[in-house]
Amino acid sequence: MKRIRTILLLLLTIPFLTSCWSKHELNELVFVTGIFIDNGKDPNTVEVTISTPLPNRVMTVNSPGSSEGSSYSLLSKTGSNIPEALQTIQKDLSRKLLLSETKIIVLGREYAEDGINELLEWIQRNANIRISSSILVAPNTAKEVSQLTPIYEQFPTDVLSAFVTKEHLVNTNIKECLLANANHSAFVIPYLSYGEVPSVEEDSKKIPWSGIGGSALFTDNKLTRIVNVKESRAIAWAKKKVTAPLYTVNIEGQGHATVIFNKTSNEKSFKITENGPEFTITLNGSASLIYLNVKDKEVKSLHRDIIRAVEKEIHTDLKEGLRKSQEVKADILHLGSLIVWNDPENWKKLQKNWSDVYAETTINIKTNFNIIDTGKET
């Protein structure tokens, strides 16, 4: 009897040992790695572009991004909404679209300014979209960005994904946007730059390229303000979303220096005053000195001057970024949450008009930096 039970158990495991990836065979699927969304040419329409790898070319392309034998495909269609546009794309394909592999969603600037409620509503109801997918805003159209040349990567979406995963500036995923929408709060999304660079193969030829251009501030799910790269980096620090920020500063009357922060953190606090809430943000960091150009001075004697110059620059960047956020009533650091967690009674009084309160509140900025490594000295 024991032997029979053993055989039955072994037979039950056989279905789980098959090589089938899912109920769909791989050669019946189109893996969508990027979705690019713009307003359509006609009123109340949306144009959706998808980026997909071409399995029959991925392993044979010697020069990724070249015009001949490209390893990816771009398909665009227009509809009255996002699912309708995707369905129109699906009609012309021999394989089924698989959206669960989407890594990047890029929004055209005009689309973002009109509001992304439709996008968030669609994602919330579509279990196939990963909420860990990163989201970015294009300076013009998202379709334009989809055509960038992946010089060092195989697919355009790999390039865009690297911008956010390296955490040089603020990064945002779909989950964060959904949470902000549920809490009626503001959020910030990476803002791209777009242009042309010389071709690797032909210097006289120009190819489309994209990079990080700053951050886009969203209020009520609409793009309301752009902050530049320096301000965006300081905001990312205040959101604990920056890795190894680098700063080059002038040491007044002495030269200039470059430091890279190996360790960063921040602290936030508040107090309720007769004029309303007052916040304090403290940025902490330990840096290495990686370049110094001064005359006739020892490195150690310049530590305080270097730190003071770095503190001044970062303080200015964060202050300006937050000033812009207050102009559009966008609490991008979610400072209101501090009151929710620590002083719920006062929050009940402030909640209804929080956006207006945030616009007028005092935000103090402090820094606490030190240099722990000066590199080799000769």
Side-chain angles (χ1 to χ4, degrees):
M1 189 69 182
K2 183 177 180 181
R3 184 180 178 185
I4 294 175
R5 284 201 300 267
T6 302
I7 293 173
L8 287 173
L9 286 171
L10 289 172
L11 289 173
L12 287 171
T13 63
I14 289 176
F16 300 101
L17 300 177
T18 61
S19 60
C20 183
W21 178 79
S22 72
K23 65 180 181 180
H24 296 290
E25 293 292 346
L26 290 177
N27 60 5
E28 297 176 354
L29 300 171
V30 175
F31 294 89
V32 178
T33 57
I35 300 176
F36 303 81
I37 306 172
D38 292 299
N39 282 344
K41 293 180 180 179
D42 297 327
N44 301 316
T45 62
V46 60
E47 182 179 29
V48 176
T49 300
I50 61 171
S51 179
T52 68
L54 297 174
N56 58 333
R57 294 184 186 175
V58 168
M59 302 303 295
T60 59
V61 175
N62 294 320
S63 179
S66 61
S67 58
E68 296 182 9
S70 176
S71 58
Y72 60 90
S73 173
L74 298 172
L75 302 169
S76 299
K77 292 293 182 180
T78 300
S80 61
N81 53 48
I82 295 171
E84 183 178 291
L86 285 170
Q87 183 58 36
T88 306
I89 293 175
Q90 179 67 79
K91 288 178 182 178
D92 295 336
L93 297 178
S94 60
R95 301 186 180 198
K96 179 178 176 61
L97 291 176
L98 184 68
L99 300 176
S100 61
E101 294 303 307
T102 302
K103 298 187 292 184
I104 291 289
I105 296 177
V106 180
L107 313 175
R109 178 160 182 170
E110 185 178 305
Y111 178 84
E113 289 175 337
D114 287 346
I116 62 172
N117 287 318
E118 176 199 0
L119 170 66
L120 298 179
E121 168 71 14
W122 171 64
I123 291 174
Q124 201 165 6
R125 296 179 182 278
N126 191 332
N128 293 322
I129 294 289
R130 293 189 297 185
I131 59 175
S132 60
S133 300
S134 297
I135 185 166
L136 306 98
V137 177
N140 298 303
T141 67
K143 185 176 183 179
E144 181 182 62
V145 171
S146 74
Q147 298 166 358
L148 72 87
T149 305
I151 298 175
Y152 300 109
E153 308 294 342
Q154 198 161 32
F155 309 115
T157 49
D158 290 341
V159 177
L160 298 172
S161 181
F163 290 155
V164 290
T165 56
K166 298 299 181 183
E167 292 193 340
H168 294 309
L169 294 175
V170 66
N171 66 77
T172 304
N173 59 34
I174 291 298
K175 178 182 177 180
E176 292 170 276
C177 295
L178 291 173
L179 287 173
N181 179 51
N183 293 317
H184 306 288
S185 58
F187 53 93
V188 55
I189 292 178
Y191 184 73
L192 297 169
S193 62
Y194 186 81
E196 293 184 332
V197 296
S199 170
V200 175
E201 299 171 347
E202 302 177 41
D203 289 339
S204 60
K205 182 182 178 182
K206 299 289 186 178
I207 56 175
W209 182 247
S210 188
I212 289 292
S215 293
L217 310 186
F218 279 72
T219 311
D220 296 327
N221 294 333
K222 294 182 179 181
L223 191 164
T224 51
R225 193 67 186 264
I226 302 297
V227 298
N228 65 34
V229 171
K230 292 176 64 179
E231 295 158 0
S232 184
R233 179 173 53 182
I235 289 170
W237 194 326
K239 289 175 70 67
K240 296 184 179 179
K241 287 192 172 187
V242 69
T243 300
L246 182 147
Y247 288 86
T248 296
V249 293
N250 291 317
I251 309 169
E252 192 171 345
Q254 301 176 76
H256 57 273
T258 299
V259 299
I260 185 169
F261 284 87
N262 308 305
K263 185 178 180 181
T264 60
S265 63
N266 72 69
E267 301 165 15
K268 301 184 185 76
S269 62
F270 77 97
K271 62 181 179 181
I272 301 296
T273 71
E274 60 181 14
N275 296 319
E278 182 177 316
F279 295 91
T280 299
I281 301 171
T282 304
L283 302 185
N284 306 304
S286 298
S288 295
L289 178 65
I290 59 174
Y291 181 78
L292 181 65
N293 183 7
V294 295
K295 292 182 180 180
D296 305 324
K297 276 209 173 185
E298 292 184 4
V299 175
K300 289 185 179 179
S301 67
L302 291 169
H303 274 205
R304 188 62 254 168
D305 292 336
I306 295 171
I307 289 297
R308 191 178 295 113
V310 173
E311 287 178 334
K312 181 179 179 181
E313 180 165 332
I314 296 175
H315 183 281
T316 300
D317 293 342
L318 183 55
K319 184 177 181 179
E320 184 62 15
L322 291 177
R323 182 190 66 79
K324 291 178 179 178
S325 76
Q326 289 184 284
E327 285 182 350
V328 294
K329 304 179 180 181
D331 180 12
I332 54 176
L333 298 184
H334 299 157
L335 297 177
S337 297
L338 291 176
I339 306 176
V340 174
W341 300 329
N342 298 287
D343 194 348
E345 287 302 315
N346 266 308
W347 177 247
K348 290 177 182 178
K349 304 173 186 177
L350 299 169
Q351 182 178 12
K352 185 176 181 180
N353 301 311
W354 175 244
S355 59
D356 294 321
V357 173
Y358 174 76
E360 300 297 329
T361 195
T362 298
I363 304 177
N364 303 307
I365 300 169
K366 296 182 178 180
T367 54
N368 179 28
F369 302 150
N370 62 81
I371 295 176
I372 59 173
D373 178 24
T374 58
K376 294 181 180 179
E377 296 183 46
T378 55

